[in-house]
Amino acid sequence: MSREVCVHTWPCSYYLELDKRWVPGKLSLTSCSLKFAADEAQETLVSFPLSGITAIKKEASHFVFSSITVLEKDNRKHWFSSLQPSRNAAFSVIEHFWRELLLSQPEAPLPATKGKELTGLMACSQKRLEDTARVLHHQGEQLDSITRGLDKMESDLDVADRLLTELESPSWWPFSSKLWKMPSETKLKGDVSTASPKALGKEGVVVRIPAVVSQRTASHVKPGSLTVLVSGLEIHDSSSALMHRFEREDVDDIKVHTPYEISIRQRFIGKPDIAYHLISARMPEAIPILEVQFSKKMEVLGDAVTPSSTKTSSPAEKVCSMWHTDPEETQGSCPGHRGRAGEAGRGPG
């Protein structure tokens, strides 16, 4: 069985129905399953695939403790409470991966033959090549624009040289009238060369993926999307309103924490940096394109090894995530509620 990549882990408590008690531990999410492991025995108490979930809700146990409930197809209900850093953060990420899995299921083919698998690989490779070619084409257009700019500079230098020659030449020099006609001709050529780069203003969307977006503190997360353009990156909220746009030259670093989790940062001197943290079930589609556009600014951390990743990080940089505690969200969870692992008779209610 292949090792599943852990998307994220949250400290929380799980309610054992048989023992009528809460057990502290950690809730782990992978791309296709949800697991809970107890702190005491270090064993997995419950594990189920995301495809077997019929509902995910926010509820309250005893009308006090904020919880997340997960309902399976066999009507078995699981209660998770005291989630850190916040219930909303955990719920947004889990719901995102569950919905993306449901949306992708109708497209999943029946058991395919070897020929169909090879055809699928060829189609995927073709799409990657098309995306790469689109990015390289835009870069070629930028180089052409730079070449035209250099040609215009050279033409301006020629005009300046002719003007200096005219000033230095005596009044009886017979070719002075021709020299004064050159600037107008050069200006006409300059107008043509400067007008053509404006046609490059049309931006092509390379890929757009849904994502869970957070800024600064990841306790406050919101659903949104990441759009990779040939000229930069755009982050939108769930209503398609633009939250921030990164031009290509503005991006200072992109850290890949896992194949499903990245952070984008723009540094400033004298004021706070602009940084966004994104988690998406479809992030593996965007990472290869980001590697093409921002190859020198990509940093792949230890838990995010991809086939095309060649960079490594120090042990100090191998951080699971950037999540922090949200006091507003955790005030509903009682420390005693999580700490009394052996207390019986206080179920969700």
Side-chain angles (χ1 to χ4, degrees), residues 36-326:
F36 177 84
D39 287 340
E40 297 177 353
Q42 294 294 327
E43 62 176 350
T44 302
L45 295 183
V46 61
S47 176
F48 44 87
L50 295 179
S51 58
I53 298 176
T54 58
I56 301 177
K57 297 180 181 180
K58 297 178 184 178
E59 297 189 36
S61 58
H62 284 294
F63 305 100
V64 176
F65 306 114
S66 59
S67 306
I68 293 177
T69 59
V70 178
L71 184 64
E72 291 190 85
K73 290 181 179 179
D74 56 0
N75 291 327
R76 185 182 178 189
K77 195 173 186 179
H78 304 276
W79 288 77
F80 302 95
S81 185
S82 301
L83 288 136
Q84 299 178 13
S86 69
R87 178 182 66 170
N88 288 338
F91 179 83
S92 298
V93 176
I94 295 172
E95 186 188 39
H96 166 77
F97 275 80
W98 175 56
R99 289 186 180 277
E100 287 299 318
L101 183 63
L102 292 180
L103 291 174
S104 64
Q105 278 183 347
E107 301 177 1
L110 296 173
T113 61
K114 200 69 176 178
K116 289 184 178 180
E117 292 180 0
L118 293 175
T119 304
L121 289 175
M122 290 177 61
C124 183
S125 301
Q126 181 181 359
K127 185 178 182 300
R128 291 284 184 267
L129 289 173
E130 289 175 354
D131 294 339
T132 305
R134 195 179 298 115
V135 174
L136 293 177
H137 176 69
H138 178 71
Q139 292 177 348
E141 290 179 336
Q142 288 181 327
L143 290 176
D144 292 341
S145 176
I146 293 173
T147 303
R148 284 191 291 269
L150 292 175
D151 291 341
K152 184 179 182 300
M153 292 173 61
E154 185 178 0
S155 177
D156 291 342
L157 289 175
D158 291 340
V159 172
D161 185 61
R162 292 191 183 96
L163 291 174
L164 289 175
T165 304
E166 171 71 15
L167 293 174
E168 293 174 357
S169 62
S171 59
W172 49 264
W173 186 251
F175 305 106
S176 59
S177 60
K178 292 184 179 180
L179 294 174
W180 285 104
K181 293 180 182 178
M182 295 302 295
S184 60
E185 298 175 3
T186 307
K187 183 178 180 181
L188 180 61
K189 294 181 181 178
D191 292 340
V192 175
S193 63
T194 54
S196 57
K198 293 182 180 179
L200 303 177
K202 293 183 179 180
E203 296 177 328
V205 176
V206 181
V207 66
R208 180 183 287 114
I209 60 172
V212 178
V213 184
S214 62
Q215 187 181 13
R216 300 183 183 278
T217 60
S219 304
H220 299 87
V221 302
K222 60 176 66 176
S225 65
L226 170 66
T227 304
V228 181
L229 306 168
V230 291
S231 59
L233 304 172
E234 288 184 352
I235 299 175
H236 298 81
D237 59 15
S238 57
S239 60
S240 298
L242 181 64
M243 296 176 60
H244 189 75
R245 175 187 171 90
F246 292 95
E247 298 294 341
R248 288 189 60 177
E249 60 273 11
D250 294 339
V251 177
D252 289 307
D253 61 68
I254 298 177
K255 293 185 179 181
V256 183
H257 301 274
T258 71
Y260 306 96
E261 182 178 1
I262 68 170
S263 57
I264 307 170
R265 179 172 61 168
Q266 178 183 0
R267 295 192 183 96
F268 290 97
I269 298 176
K271 62 179 181 178
D273 298 344
I274 296 178
Y276 281 87
H277 197 74
L278 301 102
I279 298 179
S280 174
R282 294 174 54 188
M283 192 63 73
E285 300 178 19
I287 289 178
I289 301 172
L290 293 175
E291 287 180 339
V292 174
Q293 287 189 313
F294 306 95
S295 57
K296 295 183 179 180
K297 301 177 181 180
M298 292 279 289
E299 182 180 358
V300 181
L301 302 183
D303 294 337
V305 178
T306 59
S308 57
S309 299
T310 56
K311 301 178 183 178
T312 58
S313 59
S314 62
E317 294 174 330
K318 296 180 180 179
V319 184
C320 178
S321 189
M322 300 165 55
W323 307 87
H324 306 287
T325 303
D326 180 13

